[in-house]
Amino acid sequence: MKRAAFVVLALLLATAGCVPGGSITFGEQLVVTSFDADPLTIAPGESSTLSWTVQGASHVEIDPGIGSVALSGSRVVSPTATTVYTLVATSAAGKTASVTVHVVVSGTPSPS
């Protein structure tokens, strides 16, 4: 009888909250899946697009100058000098993860 109760309990725990095609997550994981700039090198006056995807965060911020952003998205930037952008993701439990990307500004301005 104890064995049957254990099996039933194990099945209930394993399927709690599951839907067909869903997954089971034991504890939230904070993961910065990607943080990129395209292109990485620009001439003065040109733009680069930052793009990112984060999982398990309650707050995501990009510095300098961008601030709070959604868990995934993109933003066009036009730095006047080489800039290191830092994405900081924070979970509800207070864990943080950070990633940087460099946008290099070099050469002469593009002709207008």
Side-chain angles (χ1 to χ4, degrees):
M1 182 67 168
K2 286 183 182 179
R3 180 173 168 80
F6 175 76
V7 170
V8 170
L9 179 60
L11 286 172
L12 286 173
L13 288 174
T15 60
C18 286
V19 294
S23 62
I24 300 172
T25 302
F26 294 101
E28 208 49 49
Q29 289 187 356
L30 180 60
V31 179
V32 177
T33 306
S34 65
F35 184 43
D36 301 300
D38 183 34
L40 289 171
T41 302
I42 60 174
E46 293 183 340
S47 299
S48 179
T49 301
L50 302 177
S51 57
W52 63 92
T53 303
V54 178
Q55 297 175 342
S58 61
H59 182 77
V60 180
E61 189 168 305
I62 300 175
D63 289 314
I66 295 176
S68 185
V69 295
L71 295 180
S72 64
S74 63
R75 182 72 56 100
V76 175
V77 294
S78 300
T80 57
T82 296
T83 303
V84 178
Y85 291 93
T86 303
L87 179 146
V88 178
T90 306
S91 72
K95 293 182 181 180
T96 62
S98 65
V99 181
T100 61
V101 65
H102 297 242
V103 176
V104 177
V105 179
S106 69
T108 57
S110 297
S112 302

